[in-house]
Amino acid sequence: MIPFRLIARLDIKGPNLIKGICLEGLRVVGNPGEFALEYYRHGVDEILYMDAVAALYGRNSLGELLRSTARNIFVPITVGGGIRSADDVRAMLRCGADKVAVNTAAIANPALITKIAETFGSQCMVLSIEAKRRASGEGWEAYVENGREHTGLDVVDWARKSVDLGAGEILLTSVDRDGTYKGFDVDLVEAVCRAVPVPVIASGGMGSPEHLVEVVRNSGTSAVAMASALHYRRCTLEDARSSLAEAGVGIVPHNEWPDTAGSDG
């Protein structure tokens, strides 16, 4: 059985950690490196950096942040936003990333999924899906550009296809729930988990430890990405671990990570 993972999601704009609601109305939270180090010290299992404005500039600008993070933090790091080619992936890995999350470019060119998986391994290729429930209430559509642009793709069908093409993991963000503290879209997460044999990271909506337990018990997800709940201390990593343990969920053992602040490696 694969242990459940708690992932800190940090959305970045320029030098700042930012957060919005439904991927809009972005507000500055603080210094992303400092927040990442704090989460590492409290036993987070992975770090997820998402460049929120990469699509605007056509490139990912998190290289220096990645290099700094990799010198001080020793858990897997995933980076997303503006990844458009195998060369982009290579550059991110050289800066210290372990995995890349790809959304827009994968939809525009699905063969990129296979290219990344074959070149760097399927474990490196994380498909990022921004999902919105259809107006009819039946199913979900995949979006790009921070949930602003339609693709016409059904989320579940796209998830299946991406795995067939080589995606080794799916980052599933509910745009409708993002930053609302209303809880995960459990139906969405369950539908994708049932459709694919790879790990699914649930993202968007967590406001309390109870929401975490609910999505774990009812969807089959193997990880959650926590953002606002962590940044604004509505739920600490200790709270999350305690709730999961009480619910009988197998989690990655919490070690006391070394204090590496100021270290060069």
Side-chain angles (χ1 to χ4, degrees), residues 18-40:
I18 52 91
K19 193 69 191 81
I21 298 175
C22 301
L23 301 184
E24 296 182 340
L26 304 178
R27 299 175 60 186
V28 173
V29 178
N31 182 301
E34 292 176 0
F35 274 78
L37 185 58
E38 177 186 352
Y39 298 149
Y40 172 67

Side-chain angles (χ1 to χ4, degrees), residues 10-18 28-35 49 51-53 57 61-62 64-65:
L10 295 95
D11 294 279
I12 314 296
K13 181 179 180 182
N16 298 313
L17 170 64
I18 52 91
V28 173
V29 178
N31 182 301
E34 292 176 0
F35 274 78
Y49 281 139
D51 189 332
V53 293
Y57 298 107
S61 60
L62 301 184
E64 186 54 42
L65 176 60

Side-chain angles (χ1 to χ4, degrees), residues 3 11 16 37 49-50 59 68 82 97 99 106-107 135 151 161-162 185 199 208-209 228 245 248 252:
D11 294 279
N16 298 313
L37 185 58
Y49 281 139
M50 297 294 286
R59 60 183 175 82
S68 174
K99 298 181 279 186
I107 288 176
T151 68
K161 180 177 180 179
S162 75
D185 186 337
S208 70
S228 294
V252 176

Side-chain angles (χ1 to χ4, degrees), residues 1 10 14 26 48 67 112 115 121 134-136 206 227 240 247 255:
M1 177 181 177
L10 295 95
L26 304 178
L48 169 63
R67 281 188 286 268
L112 178 62
K115 176 67 174 178
R134 296 186 186 277
S136 66
M206 181 171 166
N255 298 314

Side-chain angles (χ1 to χ4, degrees), residues 60-167:
N60 187 291
S61 60
L62 301 184
E64 186 54 42
L65 176 60
L66 278 170
R67 281 188 286 268
S68 174
T69 301
R71 286 195 295 266
N72 296 303
I73 293 175
F74 303 97
V75 294
I77 303 170
T78 301
V79 62
I83 307 296
R84 300 175 183 274
S85 68
D87 286 343
D88 289 341
V89 177
R90 188 173 290 106
M92 292 296 100
L93 298 183
R94 286 175 175 169
C95 289
D98 298 279
K99 298 181 279 186
V100 295
V102 188
N103 179 13
T104 303
I107 288 176
N109 176 24
L112 178 62
I113 297 173
T114 304
K115 176 67 174 178
I116 294 173
E118 290 180 346
T119 305
F120 306 101
S122 61
Q123 81 290 339
C124 178
M125 173 59 226
V126 180
L127 182 77
S128 176
I129 300 179
E130 296 171 356
K132 283 187 180 182
R133 189 178 289 271
R134 296 186 186 277
S136 66
E138 298 295 324
W140 303 265
E141 181 183 347
Y143 279 67
V144 293
E145 307 291 345
N146 279 351
R148 293 188 294 270
E149 297 294 332
H150 294 266
T151 68
L153 294 174
D154 177 80
V155 164
V156 176
D157 290 344
W158 174 227
R160 286 196 190 99
K161 180 177 180 179
S162 75
V163 172
D164 289 342
L165 290 169

